[in-house]
Amino acid sequence: MAQQPAARLDLEVFREIEAFIYYESRLLDERRFEEWAALYTDDAVYWVPAAPDQTSPIDSVSIIYDDKPSMEVRVRRLRHPDAHAQVPPSRTSHMAGNIMVDALDEQAREYSVTSQFQMLEYRAGRQRAFGGTSDHRLRRVKGGLMVASKTVRLINCDAAFRGIAILF
Amino acid sequence: MSEHCASQIDKLIEADRVHRDVYTAPGIFDLEMARIFGRSWIWIGHASQVASIGDFVTTRIGRQPVIMVRHGDGQIKVLINRCRHRGVRLCALDRGNTKQFRCPYHGWTYRTDGTLLTEPLRDVFAKDFDLDEERMGLTKVARVDSYRGFVFANLTPGGADLMPNLGPMKAGIDDICDRAPEGEIAFTGGGFKQQFDANWKFWVENMIDLDHPRFAHVAASSAARGMEPGSDYVTARAANRVLNAFGASSEFWNKTGVWANGDGHGYMGSLAPGAEPDGDIYLRYKAALEEKHGPERAQEILNVSRHNNLLYPNFNFQTSFQHVKIVDPITVDHSEVRIFAFQMKGAPEEMNRDAIVYLNTVQSPASIIQSDDFDIYERQQQGLTAQGSDWVYFARGAEGDVAEDDGGFRAVGTSELPMRKQFQAWRALMTE
């Protein structure tokens, strides 16, 4: 599974990718959910497996397996005044690091990026922590970057969770 | 309240209301563990989870740790997950395959039927210490029975057998299995676990509470409104179909109807009674069912109208979206839920995949539906710390219950009949 970093990646491109990953975290922490969803391409998929060894989102259940329209529903729900699980709202702190650009597909103009993340969430008197690995497929679109897919492997993906409302 | 005698417990339950102590008093909770979870038929698992010899899953009966394992003779055994020596929980995994269970502490080892195989330093135990392989084997659950692959256990030797207790709920299990063209389901497809800081009964009540969706889930249903059905097996496909129902009017929910009986069991009818689905996938499915049974029997199977079934005290199984779930009481104000997807053998692959999509959308801990429910359970527990207004009301529809021939009662969907029957069963179990 572990890959060598993409060879001959321009340092400036690496910096751009790194800044993009940080920016996504920031949009979530600042509850700028619409701007966050807009980072994703129309054919994007956001996947959070429910088991550590899960290979397919089709044959077994996932914590999240959203296409773009579903991501937008999630965002509209978060904005609704009666989204009870967000009254009061969560405050989060996403931290991304260990960013590795694993592969570059020149033809598709896509980068495979792996990073580690930790997210602290405080809500209604309770603080909890999530952590794991994010696999981003970033696509070059009109000179900028967009997320073509994101897979979040939580280290506790098969734990007994309390409700999860904020994305990783 | 730490001590409760029968007459005190009796006073906590009235026809259309219950005292808050039933959710908040630790003494009541301890009694529930003995009198309800210690004496009821509790769902343990499904035979397909332990398909091969040596396969095991770990589960709970109330708070007690339990192993379900397929022994070498092909029989399914239900054993208390506790080493007889010094009390270690023997098996630490959710599932796996093993020839024997060996305690990590001092090596006491048990066969998969629970008998004691070996204990180190056997010759230095006192001469009269009983190391009989049966008597010092893993504690067996008093009664184990199964119906169509669903395994249940009961910690008490006496009392009603499984089938009489299932009663009219047997038809719900039949419905689940009969709808699979091969007459069988399999617990593949994974599952979820969830927890919440509230009493287990709030979850049970919510299983058949058809007036909550339009309030509790208004954010999700209004967010999904107008969404186009997706073409792939991701959420959009289900959202259009499912989420809109959560915003439906009370008239819609009333038409589904609810049924419940004095054992606390209940079910709700189909979301679209009398309306048969269409589309290529459904027609292929129906053809498979007809090929197996002939058109008449196939239609009979499809005419059964049960969306969701509650087997008191803590098991819920749903035909239409192919999953089961169980709540485990941990403390008076903490509970865990486990959800399992199942697949219908012989059905088109797309139907089984649709069920997965539904579970991602509606049953996941990150579901825009479920997370609101769990938040509300916790707020119920928090609200009930208030003193002075001590009663919780289940009066909705109380004059509309209609007795049925099967000993149960039927009412419109928004009636609180199921909760009234749950507490009738609760009172009987707690005071008998």
Side-chain angles (χ1 to χ4, degrees), chain A residues 17-49:
Chain A
I17 289 170
E18 196 181 25
F20 184 88
I21 302 285
Y22 295 155
Y23 184 60
E24 184 188 16
S25 298
R26 178 176 173 173
L27 291 180
L28 289 168
D29 287 343
E30 293 179 356
R31 296 182 74 85
R32 293 157 66 185
F33 301 122
E34 292 80 3
E35 291 172 73
W36 168 79
L39 298 180
Y40 286 70
T41 60
D42 285 346
D43 62 346
V45 169
Y46 184 99
W47 183 31
V48 184

PDB file of all heavy atoms in Angstrom, chain A residues 17-49:
ATOM      1  N   ILE A  17      -0.555  21.960  -3.134  1.00  0.00           N
ATOM      2  CA  ILE A  17      -1.365  20.850  -2.633  1.00  0.00           C
ATOM      3  C   ILE A  17      -1.493  20.934  -1.109  1.00  0.00           C
ATOM      4  O   ILE A  17      -2.583  20.790  -0.540  1.00  0.00           O
ATOM      5  CB  ILE A  17      -0.742  19.502  -3.064  1.00  0.00           C
ATOM      6  CG1 ILE A  17      -0.931  19.311  -4.574  1.00  0.00           C
ATOM      7  CG2 ILE A  17      -1.330  18.336  -2.281  1.00  0.00           C
ATOM      8  CD1 ILE A  17      -0.148  18.151  -5.154  1.00  0.00           C
ATOM      9  N   GLU A  18      -0.385  21.198  -0.464  1.00  0.00           N
ATOM     10  CA  GLU A  18      -0.355  21.315   0.995  1.00  0.00           C
ATOM     11  C   GLU A  18      -1.322  22.420   1.442  1.00  0.00           C
ATOM     12  O   GLU A  18      -2.153  22.223   2.338  1.00  0.00           O
ATOM     13  CB  GLU A  18       1.083  21.654   1.391  1.00  0.00           C
ATOM     14  CG  GLU A  18       1.407  21.455   2.840  1.00  0.00           C
ATOM     15  CD  GLU A  18       2.870  21.841   3.125  1.00  0.00           C
ATOM     16  OE1 GLU A  18       3.459  22.667   2.371  1.00  0.00           O
ATOM     17  OE2 GLU A  18       3.409  21.313   4.095  1.00  0.00           O
ATOM     18  N   ALA A  19      -1.236  23.570   0.776  1.00  0.00           N
ATOM     19  CA  ALA A  19      -2.099  24.700   1.140  1.00  0.00           C
ATOM     20  C   ALA A  19      -3.567  24.356   0.891  1.00  0.00           C
ATOM     21  O   ALA A  19      -4.454  24.752   1.658  1.00  0.00           O
ATOM     22  CB  ALA A  19      -1.693  25.936   0.330  1.00  0.00           C
ATOM     23  N   PHE A  20      -3.826  23.567  -0.136  1.00  0.00           N
ATOM     24  CA  PHE A  20      -5.202  23.170  -0.455  1.00  0.00           C
ATOM     25  C   PHE A  20      -5.781  22.301   0.674  1.00  0.00           C
ATOM     26  O   PHE A  20      -6.924  22.493   1.099  1.00  0.00           O
ATOM     27  CB  PHE A  20      -5.225  22.413  -1.789  1.00  0.00           C
ATOM     28  CG  PHE A  20      -6.614  22.051  -2.242  1.00  0.00           C
ATOM     29  CD1 PHE A  20      -7.350  22.933  -3.011  1.00  0.00           C
ATOM     30  CD2 PHE A  20      -7.183  20.836  -1.890  1.00  0.00           C
ATOM     31  CE1 PHE A  20      -8.636  22.611  -3.427  1.00  0.00           C
ATOM     32  CE2 PHE A  20      -8.482  20.508  -2.290  1.00  0.00           C
ATOM     33  CZ  PHE A  20      -9.196  21.402  -3.068  1.00  0.00           C
ATOM     34  N   ILE A  21      -4.970  21.335   1.128  1.00  0.00           N
ATOM     35  CA  ILE A  21      -5.426  20.452   2.221  1.00  0.00           C
ATOM     36  C   ILE A  21      -5.715  21.281   3.484  1.00  0.00           C
ATOM     37  O   ILE A  21      -6.729  21.079   4.159  1.00  0.00           O
ATOM     38  CB  ILE A  21      -4.352  19.377   2.530  1.00  0.00           C
ATOM     39  CG1 ILE A  21      -4.031  18.541   1.292  1.00  0.00           C
ATOM     40  CG2 ILE A  21      -4.746  18.516   3.729  1.00  0.00           C
ATOM     41  CD1 ILE A  21      -5.060  17.536   0.903  1.00  0.00           C
ATOM     42  N   TYR A  22      -4.837  22.235   3.784  1.00  0.00           N
ATOM     43  CA  TYR A  22      -5.056  23.092   4.954  1.00  0.00           C
ATOM     44  C   TYR A  22      -6.319  23.930   4.776  1.00  0.00           C
ATOM     45  O   TYR A  22      -7.077  24.151   5.718  1.00  0.00           O
ATOM     46  CB  TYR A  22      -3.864  24.028   5.168  1.00  0.00           C
ATOM     47  CG  TYR A  22      -2.561  23.331   5.510  1.00  0.00           C
ATOM     48  CD1 TYR A  22      -1.334  23.935   5.224  1.00  0.00           C
ATOM     49  CD2 TYR A  22      -2.547  22.084   6.125  1.00  0.00           C
ATOM     50  CE1 TYR A  22      -0.131  23.313   5.536  1.00  0.00           C
ATOM     51  CE2 TYR A  22      -1.352  21.453   6.429  1.00  0.00           C
ATOM     52  CZ  TYR A  22      -0.150  22.065   6.136  1.00  0.00           C
ATOM     53  OH  TYR A  22       1.023  21.454   6.436  1.00  0.00           O
ATOM     54  N   TYR A  23      -6.514  24.382   3.561  1.00  0.00           N
ATOM     55  CA  TYR A  23      -7.657  25.250   3.286  1.00  0.00           C
ATOM     56  C   TYR A  23      -8.966  24.493   3.493  1.00  0.00           C
ATOM     57  O   TYR A  23      -9.926  25.024   4.065  1.00  0.00           O
ATOM     58  CB  TYR A  23      -7.553  25.773   1.854  1.00  0.00           C
ATOM     59  CG  TYR A  23      -8.629  26.765   1.471  1.00  0.00           C
ATOM     60  CD1 TYR A  23      -8.772  27.961   2.179  1.00  0.00           C
ATOM     61  CD2 TYR A  23      -9.490  26.510   0.405  1.00  0.00           C
ATOM     62  CE1 TYR A  23      -9.752  28.870   1.826  1.00  0.00           C
ATOM     63  CE2 TYR A  23     -10.474  27.426   0.052  1.00  0.00           C
ATOM     64  CZ  TYR A  23     -10.603  28.602   0.760  1.00  0.00           C
ATOM     65  OH  TYR A  23     -11.577  29.517   0.410  1.00  0.00           O
ATOM     66  N   GLU A  24      -9.004  23.242   3.062  1.00  0.00           N
ATOM     67  CA  GLU A  24     -10.213  22.437   3.270  1.00  0.00           C
ATOM     68  C   GLU A  24     -10.518  22.327   4.771  1.00  0.00           C
ATOM     69  O   GLU A  24     -11.658  22.510   5.196  1.00  0.00           O
ATOM     70  CB  GLU A  24     -10.053  21.028   2.662  1.00  0.00           C
ATOM     71  CG  GLU A  24     -11.347  20.235   2.798  1.00  0.00           C
ATOM     72  CD  GLU A  24     -11.242  18.773   2.400  1.00  0.00           C
ATOM     73  OE1 GLU A  24     -10.131  18.231   2.289  1.00  0.00           O
ATOM     74  OE2 GLU A  24     -12.332  18.165   2.214  1.00  0.00           O
ATOM     75  N   SER A  25      -9.496  22.056   5.571  1.00  0.00           N
ATOM     76  CA  SER A  25      -9.673  21.976   7.027  1.00  0.00           C
ATOM     77  C   SER A  25     -10.227  23.286   7.576  1.00  0.00           C
ATOM     78  O   SER A  25     -11.128  23.301   8.415  1.00  0.00           O
ATOM     79  CB  SER A  25      -8.332  21.700   7.712  1.00  0.00           C
ATOM     80  OG  SER A  25      -7.817  20.473   7.292  1.00  0.00           O
ATOM     81  N   ARG A  26      -9.667  24.356   7.087  1.00  0.00           N
ATOM     82  CA  ARG A  26     -10.062  25.662   7.603  1.00  0.00           C
ATOM     83  C   ARG A  26     -11.529  25.961   7.295  1.00  0.00           C
ATOM     84  O   ARG A  26     -12.264  26.483   8.139  1.00  0.00           O
ATOM     85  CB  ARG A  26      -9.153  26.727   6.983  1.00  0.00           C
ATOM     86  CG  ARG A  26      -9.501  28.125   7.403  1.00  0.00           C
ATOM     87  CD  ARG A  26      -8.494  29.077   6.805  1.00  0.00           C
ATOM     88  NE  ARG A  26      -8.866  30.454   7.030  1.00  0.00           N
ATOM     89  CZ  ARG A  26      -8.076  31.468   6.719  1.00  0.00           C
ATOM     90  NH1 ARG A  26      -6.884  31.250   6.197  1.00  0.00           N
ATOM     91  NH2 ARG A  26      -8.474  32.701   6.934  1.00  0.00           N
ATOM     92  N   LEU A  27     -11.951  25.628   6.062  1.00  0.00           N
ATOM     93  CA  LEU A  27     -13.350  25.882   5.699  1.00  0.00           C
ATOM     94  C   LEU A  27     -14.288  25.120   6.628  1.00  0.00           C
ATOM     95  O   LEU A  27     -15.332  25.633   7.039  1.00  0.00           O
ATOM     96  CB  LEU A  27     -13.608  25.486   4.237  1.00  0.00           C
ATOM     97  CG  LEU A  27     -12.933  26.358   3.178  1.00  0.00           C
ATOM     98  CD1 LEU A  27     -13.271  25.836   1.783  1.00  0.00           C
ATOM     99  CD2 LEU A  27     -13.363  27.824   3.305  1.00  0.00           C
ATOM    100  N   LEU A  28     -13.916  23.890   6.980  1.00  0.00           N
ATOM    101  CA  LEU A  28     -14.769  23.106   7.882  1.00  0.00           C
ATOM    102  C   LEU A  28     -14.771  23.723   9.283  1.00  0.00           C
ATOM    103  O   LEU A  28     -15.825  23.862   9.911  1.00  0.00           O
ATOM    104  CB  LEU A  28     -14.288  21.644   7.933  1.00  0.00           C
ATOM    105  CG  LEU A  28     -14.552  20.829   6.660  1.00  0.00           C
ATOM    106  CD1 LEU A  28     -13.798  19.508   6.704  1.00  0.00           C
ATOM    107  CD2 LEU A  28     -16.049  20.577   6.471  1.00  0.00           C
ATOM    108  N   ASP A  29     -13.607  24.099   9.768  1.00  0.00           N
ATOM    109  CA  ASP A  29     -13.535  24.677  11.115  1.00  0.00           C
ATOM    110  C   ASP A  29     -14.283  25.997  11.207  1.00  0.00           C
ATOM    111  O   ASP A  29     -14.830  26.344  12.253  1.00  0.00           O
ATOM    112  CB  ASP A  29     -12.074  24.886  11.528  1.00  0.00           C
ATOM    113  CG  ASP A  29     -11.378  23.569  11.854  1.00  0.00           C
ATOM    114  OD1 ASP A  29     -12.087  22.575  12.075  1.00  0.00           O
ATOM    115  OD2 ASP A  29     -10.130  23.548  11.875  1.00  0.00           O
ATOM    116  N   GLU A  30     -14.293  26.730  10.113  1.00  0.00           N
ATOM    117  CA  GLU A  30     -14.994  28.029  10.116  1.00  0.00           C
ATOM    118  C   GLU A  30     -16.457  27.881   9.691  1.00  0.00           C
ATOM    119  O   GLU A  30     -17.139  28.866   9.451  1.00  0.00           O
ATOM    120  CB  GLU A  30     -14.248  29.018   9.207  1.00  0.00           C
ATOM    121  CG  GLU A  30     -12.871  29.364   9.791  1.00  0.00           C
ATOM    122  CD  GLU A  30     -12.069  30.336   8.926  1.00  0.00           C
ATOM    123  OE1 GLU A  30     -12.529  30.712   7.813  1.00  0.00           O
ATOM    124  OE2 GLU A  30     -10.963  30.715   9.363  1.00  0.00           O
ATOM    125  N   ARG A  31     -16.898  26.627   9.590  1.00  0.00           N
ATOM    126  CA  ARG A  31     -18.291  26.329   9.216  1.00  0.00           C
ATOM    127  C   ARG A  31     -18.675  27.006   7.894  1.00  0.00           C
ATOM    128  O   ARG A  31     -19.831  27.428   7.716  1.00  0.00           O
ATOM    129  CB  ARG A  31     -19.269  26.701  10.337  1.00  0.00           C
ATOM    130  CG  ARG A  31     -19.045  25.881  11.603  1.00  0.00           C
ATOM    131  CD  ARG A  31     -20.038  26.215  12.697  1.00  0.00           C
ATOM    132  NE  ARG A  31     -21.377  25.690  12.456  1.00  0.00           N
ATOM    133  CZ  ARG A  31     -21.784  24.471  12.772  1.00  0.00           C
ATOM    134  NH1 ARG A  31     -20.947  23.621  13.330  1.00  0.00           N
ATOM    135  NH2 ARG A  31     -23.018  24.088  12.534  1.00  0.00           N
ATOM    136  N   ARG A  32     -17.733  27.077   6.997  1.00  0.00           N
ATOM    137  CA  ARG A  32     -18.026  27.612   5.642  1.00  0.00           C
ATOM    138  C   ARG A  32     -18.330  26.407   4.764  1.00  0.00           C
ATOM    139  O   ARG A  32     -17.598  26.077   3.821  1.00  0.00           O
ATOM    140  CB  ARG A  32     -16.829  28.421   5.148  1.00  0.00           C
ATOM    141  CG  ARG A  32     -16.635  29.702   5.988  1.00  0.00           C
ATOM    142  CD  ARG A  32     -15.212  30.225   5.927  1.00  0.00           C
ATOM    143  NE  ARG A  32     -14.838  30.698   4.595  1.00  0.00           N
ATOM    144  CZ  ARG A  32     -13.595  31.103   4.294  1.00  0.00           C
ATOM    145  NH1 ARG A  32     -12.639  31.086   5.218  1.00  0.00           N
ATOM    146  NH2 ARG A  32     -13.313  31.506   3.079  1.00  0.00           N
ATOM    147  N   PHE A  33     -19.447  25.723   5.084  1.00  0.00           N
ATOM    148  CA  PHE A  33     -19.726  24.409   4.484  1.00  0.00           C
ATOM    149  C   PHE A  33     -19.994  24.490   2.983  1.00  0.00           C
ATOM    150  O   PHE A  33     -19.643  23.585   2.239  1.00  0.00           O
ATOM    151  CB  PHE A  33     -20.903  23.740   5.194  1.00  0.00           C
ATOM    152  CG  PHE A  33     -20.671  23.525   6.668  1.00  0.00           C
ATOM    153  CD1 PHE A  33     -21.530  24.064   7.612  1.00  0.00           C
ATOM    154  CD2 PHE A  33     -19.580  22.782   7.119  1.00  0.00           C
ATOM    155  CE1 PHE A  33     -21.321  23.862   8.963  1.00  0.00           C
ATOM    156  CE2 PHE A  33     -19.362  22.578   8.474  1.00  0.00           C
ATOM    157  CZ  PHE A  33     -20.238  23.122   9.398  1.00  0.00           C
ATOM    158  N   GLU A  34     -20.663  25.573   2.547  1.00  0.00           N
ATOM    159  CA  GLU A  34     -20.957  25.690   1.115  1.00  0.00           C
ATOM    160  C   GLU A  34     -19.656  25.816   0.319  1.00  0.00           C
ATOM    161  O   GLU A  34     -19.503  25.211  -0.744  1.00  0.00           O
ATOM    162  CB  GLU A  34     -21.871  26.896   0.838  1.00  0.00           C
ATOM    163  CG  GLU A  34     -23.286  26.756   1.394  1.00  0.00           C
ATOM    164  CD  GLU A  34     -23.398  27.066   2.889  1.00  0.00           C
ATOM    165  OE1 GLU A  34     -22.367  27.454   3.508  1.00  0.00           O
ATOM    166  OE2 GLU A  34     -24.505  26.904   3.440  1.00  0.00           O
ATOM    167  N   GLU A  35     -18.740  26.639   0.853  1.00  0.00           N
ATOM    168  CA  GLU A  35     -17.450  26.786   0.180  1.00  0.00           C
ATOM    169  C   GLU A  35     -16.678  25.473   0.214  1.00  0.00           C
ATOM    170  O   GLU A  35     -15.961  25.122  -0.723  1.00  0.00           O
ATOM    171  CB  GLU A  35     -16.611  27.884   0.849  1.00  0.00           C
ATOM    172  CG  GLU A  35     -17.161  29.284   0.650  1.00  0.00           C
ATOM    173  CD  GLU A  35     -16.408  30.298   1.498  1.00  0.00           C
ATOM    174  OE1 GLU A  35     -15.262  30.626   1.168  1.00  0.00           O
ATOM    175  OE2 GLU A  35     -16.982  30.737   2.525  1.00  0.00           O
ATOM    176  N   TRP A  36     -16.833  24.747   1.308  1.00  0.00           N
ATOM    177  CA  TRP A  36     -16.173  23.438   1.415  1.00  0.00           C
ATOM    178  C   TRP A  36     -16.684  22.494   0.324  1.00  0.00           C
ATOM    179  O   TRP A  36     -15.900  21.882  -0.395  1.00  0.00           O
ATOM    180  CB  TRP A  36     -16.410  22.844   2.812  1.00  0.00           C
ATOM    181  CG  TRP A  36     -16.005  21.408   2.896  1.00  0.00           C
ATOM    182  CD1 TRP A  36     -14.736  20.926   3.031  1.00  0.00           C
ATOM    183  CD2 TRP A  36     -16.865  20.272   2.813  1.00  0.00           C
ATOM    184  NE1 TRP A  36     -14.742  19.556   3.034  1.00  0.00           N
ATOM    185  CE2 TRP A  36     -16.050  19.128   2.904  1.00  0.00           C
ATOM    186  CE3 TRP A  36     -18.249  20.114   2.664  1.00  0.00           C
ATOM    187  CZ2 TRP A  36     -16.563  17.837   2.849  1.00  0.00           C
ATOM    188  CZ3 TRP A  36     -18.766  18.836   2.619  1.00  0.00           C
ATOM    189  CH2 TRP A  36     -17.925  17.716   2.712  1.00  0.00           C
ATOM    190  N   ALA A  37     -18.025  22.403   0.190  1.00  0.00           N
ATOM    191  CA  ALA A  37     -18.594  21.485  -0.815  1.00  0.00           C
ATOM    192  C   ALA A  37     -18.180  21.912  -2.220  1.00  0.00           C
ATOM    193  O   ALA A  37     -17.994  21.072  -3.108  1.00  0.00           O
ATOM    194  CB  ALA A  37     -20.116  21.439  -0.680  1.00  0.00           C
ATOM    195  N   ALA A  38     -18.010  23.209  -2.395  1.00  0.00           N
ATOM    196  CA  ALA A  38     -17.636  23.715  -3.729  1.00  0.00           C
ATOM    197  C   ALA A  38     -16.206  23.319  -4.118  1.00  0.00           C
ATOM    198  O   ALA A  38     -15.827  23.449  -5.277  1.00  0.00           O
ATOM    199  CB  ALA A  38     -17.797  25.237  -3.765  1.00  0.00           C
ATOM    200  N   LEU A  39     -15.417  22.837  -3.171  1.00  0.00           N
ATOM    201  CA  LEU A  39     -14.073  22.339  -3.510  1.00  0.00           C
ATOM    202  C   LEU A  39     -14.147  21.020  -4.274  1.00  0.00           C
ATOM    203  O   LEU A  39     -13.147  20.576  -4.841  1.00  0.00           O
ATOM    204  CB  LEU A  39     -13.237  22.090  -2.240  1.00  0.00           C
ATOM    205  CG  LEU A  39     -12.907  23.259  -1.325  1.00  0.00           C
ATOM    206  CD1 LEU A  39     -12.081  22.776  -0.148  1.00  0.00           C
ATOM    207  CD2 LEU A  39     -12.146  24.335  -2.100  1.00  0.00           C
ATOM    208  N   TYR A  40     -15.311  20.374  -4.240  1.00  0.00           N
ATOM    209  CA  TYR A  40     -15.447  19.033  -4.809  1.00  0.00           C
ATOM    210  C   TYR A  40     -16.000  19.108  -6.231  1.00  0.00           C
ATOM    211  O   TYR A  40     -16.895  19.903  -6.517  1.00  0.00           O
ATOM    212  CB  TYR A  40     -16.353  18.169  -3.909  1.00  0.00           C
ATOM    213  CG  TYR A  40     -15.646  17.739  -2.639  1.00  0.00           C
ATOM    214  CD1 TYR A  40     -15.336  18.666  -1.632  1.00  0.00           C
ATOM    215  CD2 TYR A  40     -15.248  16.426  -2.454  1.00  0.00           C
ATOM    216  CE1 TYR A  40     -14.655  18.277  -0.479  1.00  0.00           C
ATOM    217  CE2 TYR A  40     -14.578  16.024  -1.290  1.00  0.00           C
ATOM    218  CZ  TYR A  40     -14.279  16.953  -0.321  1.00  0.00           C
ATOM    219  OH  TYR A  40     -13.602  16.577   0.807  1.00  0.00           O
ATOM    220  N   THR A  41     -15.489  18.244  -7.110  1.00  0.00           N
ATOM    221  CA  THR A  41     -15.989  18.192  -8.489  1.00  0.00           C
ATOM    222  C   THR A  41     -17.396  17.593  -8.502  1.00  0.00           C
ATOM    223  O   THR A  41     -17.811  16.936  -7.527  1.00  0.00           O
ATOM    224  CB  THR A  41     -15.081  17.306  -9.369  1.00  0.00           C
ATOM    225  OG1 THR A  41     -15.078  15.971  -8.820  1.00  0.00           O
ATOM    226  CG2 THR A  41     -13.654  17.836  -9.399  1.00  0.00           C
ATOM    227  N   ASP A  42     -18.122  17.786  -9.578  1.00  0.00           N
ATOM    228  CA  ASP A  42     -19.497  17.278  -9.660  1.00  0.00           C
ATOM    229  C   ASP A  42     -19.557  15.756  -9.590  1.00  0.00           C
ATOM    230  O   ASP A  42     -20.572  15.193  -9.178  1.00  0.00           O
ATOM    231  CB  ASP A  42     -20.168  17.751 -10.952  1.00  0.00           C
ATOM    232  CG  ASP A  42     -20.549  19.225 -10.860  1.00  0.00           C
ATOM    233  OD1 ASP A  42     -20.527  19.768  -9.732  1.00  0.00           O
ATOM    234  OD2 ASP A  42     -20.834  19.831 -11.907  1.00  0.00           O
ATOM    235  N   ASP A  43     -18.476  15.084  -9.992  1.00  0.00           N
ATOM    236  CA  ASP A  43     -18.478  13.612  -9.947  1.00  0.00           C
ATOM    237  C   ASP A  43     -17.756  13.088  -8.690  1.00  0.00           C
ATOM    238  O   ASP A  43     -17.401  11.918  -8.614  1.00  0.00           O
ATOM    239  CB  ASP A  43     -17.838  13.037 -11.214  1.00  0.00           C
ATOM    240  CG  ASP A  43     -16.373  13.460 -11.371  1.00  0.00           C
ATOM    241  OD1 ASP A  43     -15.937  14.393 -10.653  1.00  0.00           O
ATOM    242  OD2 ASP A  43     -15.669  12.858 -12.206  1.00  0.00           O
ATOM    243  N   ALA A  44     -17.548  13.963  -7.726  1.00  0.00           N
ATOM    244  CA  ALA A  44     -16.770  13.574  -6.544  1.00  0.00           C
ATOM    245  C   ALA A  44     -17.526  12.588  -5.666  1.00  0.00           C
ATOM    246  O   ALA A  44     -18.763  12.533  -5.661  1.00  0.00           O
ATOM    247  CB  ALA A  44     -16.423  14.814  -5.721  1.00  0.00           C
ATOM    248  N   VAL A  45     -16.766  11.802  -4.922  1.00  0.00           N
ATOM    249  CA  VAL A  45     -17.327  10.891  -3.926  1.00  0.00           C
ATOM    250  C   VAL A  45     -16.562  11.093  -2.622  1.00  0.00           C
ATOM    251  O   VAL A  45     -15.334  11.208  -2.632  1.00  0.00           O
ATOM    252  CB  VAL A  45     -17.207   9.424  -4.393  1.00  0.00           C
ATOM    253  CG1 VAL A  45     -17.540   8.481  -3.249  1.00  0.00           C
ATOM    254  CG2 VAL A  45     -18.129   9.167  -5.569  1.00  0.00           C
ATOM    255  N   TYR A  46     -17.297  11.175  -1.533  1.00  0.00           N
ATOM    256  CA  TYR A  46     -16.704  11.344  -0.204  1.00  0.00           C
ATOM    257  C   TYR A  46     -17.024  10.087   0.590  1.00  0.00           C
ATOM    258  O   TYR A  46     -18.191   9.773   0.844  1.00  0.00           O
ATOM    259  CB  TYR A  46     -17.315  12.575   0.464  1.00  0.00           C
ATOM    260  CG  TYR A  46     -16.721  12.922   1.813  1.00  0.00           C
ATOM    261  CD1 TYR A  46     -15.762  13.924   1.925  1.00  0.00           C
ATOM    262  CD2 TYR A  46     -17.122  12.267   2.976  1.00  0.00           C
ATOM    263  CE1 TYR A  46     -15.213  14.257   3.155  1.00  0.00           C
ATOM    264  CE2 TYR A  46     -16.576  12.581   4.200  1.00  0.00           C
ATOM    265  CZ  TYR A  46     -15.624  13.579   4.290  1.00  0.00           C
ATOM    266  OH  TYR A  46     -15.089  13.901   5.508  1.00  0.00           O
ATOM    267  N   TRP A  47     -15.993   9.347   0.990  1.00  0.00           N
ATOM    268  CA  TRP A  47     -16.211   8.015   1.565  1.00  0.00           C
ATOM    269  C   TRP A  47     -15.527   7.879   2.920  1.00  0.00           C
ATOM    270  O   TRP A  47     -14.326   8.146   3.037  1.00  0.00           O
ATOM    271  CB  TRP A  47     -15.670   6.945   0.592  1.00  0.00           C
ATOM    272  CG  TRP A  47     -15.906   5.526   1.041  1.00  0.00           C
ATOM    273  CD1 TRP A  47     -16.949   5.067   1.786  1.00  0.00           C
ATOM    274  CD2 TRP A  47     -15.076   4.387   0.774  1.00  0.00           C
ATOM    275  NE1 TRP A  47     -16.834   3.704   1.987  1.00  0.00           N
ATOM    276  CE2 TRP A  47     -15.699   3.268   1.387  1.00  0.00           C
ATOM    277  CE3 TRP A  47     -13.886   4.204   0.065  1.00  0.00           C
ATOM    278  CZ2 TRP A  47     -15.152   1.983   1.318  1.00  0.00           C
ATOM    279  CZ3 TRP A  47     -13.349   2.925  -0.007  1.00  0.00           C
ATOM    280  CH2 TRP A  47     -13.974   1.831   0.614  1.00  0.00           C
ATOM    281  N   VAL A  48     -16.291   7.450   3.916  1.00  0.00           N
ATOM    282  CA  VAL A  48     -15.734   7.112   5.227  1.00  0.00           C
ATOM    283  C   VAL A  48     -16.118   5.664   5.517  1.00  0.00           C
ATOM    284  O   VAL A  48     -17.272   5.382   5.889  1.00  0.00           O
ATOM    285  CB  VAL A  48     -16.279   8.035   6.348  1.00  0.00           C
ATOM    286  CG1 VAL A  48     -15.590   7.706   7.684  1.00  0.00           C
ATOM    287  CG2 VAL A  48     -16.087   9.498   5.991  1.00  0.00           C
ATOM    288  N   PRO A  49     -15.211   4.711   5.308  1.00  0.00           N
ATOM    289  CA  PRO A  49     -15.545   3.299   5.536  1.00  0.00           C
ATOM    290  C   PRO A  49     -15.931   3.031   6.999  1.00  0.00           C
ATOM    291  O   PRO A  49     -15.505   3.764   7.895  1.00  0.00           O
ATOM    292  CB  PRO A  49     -14.246   2.554   5.181  1.00  0.00           C
ATOM    293  CG  PRO A  49     -13.470   3.499   4.331  1.00  0.00           C
ATOM    294  CD  PRO A  49     -13.831   4.872   4.811  1.00  0.00           C
TER     295      PRO A  49
END
